[in-house]
């Protein structure tokens, strides 16, 4: 999963990745990781957009 220009700090691109602790979302440009709340928010927005595109 990829979110373009979604980083709050630098407006960079966020990408989902995984390590030994599990999945996380981090910025390509500045390396900032989203906290749990931010991650849930961005996933919810993505899910809504998907539903909207399916309805068209
Ligand atoms: Zn960033």
């Amino acid at each position: 999963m990829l979110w373009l220009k979604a980083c709050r700090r630098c407006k960079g691109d966020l990408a989902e990745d995984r390590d030994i602790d599990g999945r996380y979302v981090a910025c390509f440009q500045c390396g900032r990781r989203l906290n749990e709340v931010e991650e849930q928010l961005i996933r919810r927005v993505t899910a809504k957009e998907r539903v909207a595109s399916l309805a068209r």
Side-chain angles (χ1 to χ4, degrees), residues 2 7 18 24 28 45:
L2 190 71
C7 178
R18 55 170 60 199
Y24 64 92
F28 271 132
V45 168

Side-chain angles (χ1 to χ4, degrees), residues 2 6-9 11-12 16 18 21 23 25-27 31 35-36 40 43 45 47-48 50-54 56:
L2 190 71
C7 178
R8 278 195 198 168
R9 189 202 264 170
K11 304 285 181 202
E16 185 174 40
R18 55 170 60 199
D21 296 324
R23 289 192 193 181
V25 177
C27 174
N35 64 37
E36 220 169 280
Q40 280 172 8
R43 286 186 196 281
V45 168
K48 264 189 208 163
R50 244 184 233 159
V51 170
S53 68
L54 285 174
R56 255 174 240 149

Side-chain angles (χ1 to χ4, degrees), residues 17-51:
D17 207 346
R18 55 170 60 199
D19 62 15
I20 51 168
D21 296 324
R23 289 192 193 181
Y24 64 92
V25 177
C27 174
F28 271 132
Q29 276 74 22
C30 71
R32 181 180 186 272
R33 281 195 190 194
L34 300 194
N35 64 37
E36 220 169 280
V37 175
E38 291 171 327
E39 196 177 318
Q40 280 172 8
L41 270 174
I42 205 170
R43 286 186 196 281
R44 209 169 297 161
V45 168
T46 309
K48 264 189 208 163
E49 281 172 358
R50 244 184 233 159
V51 170

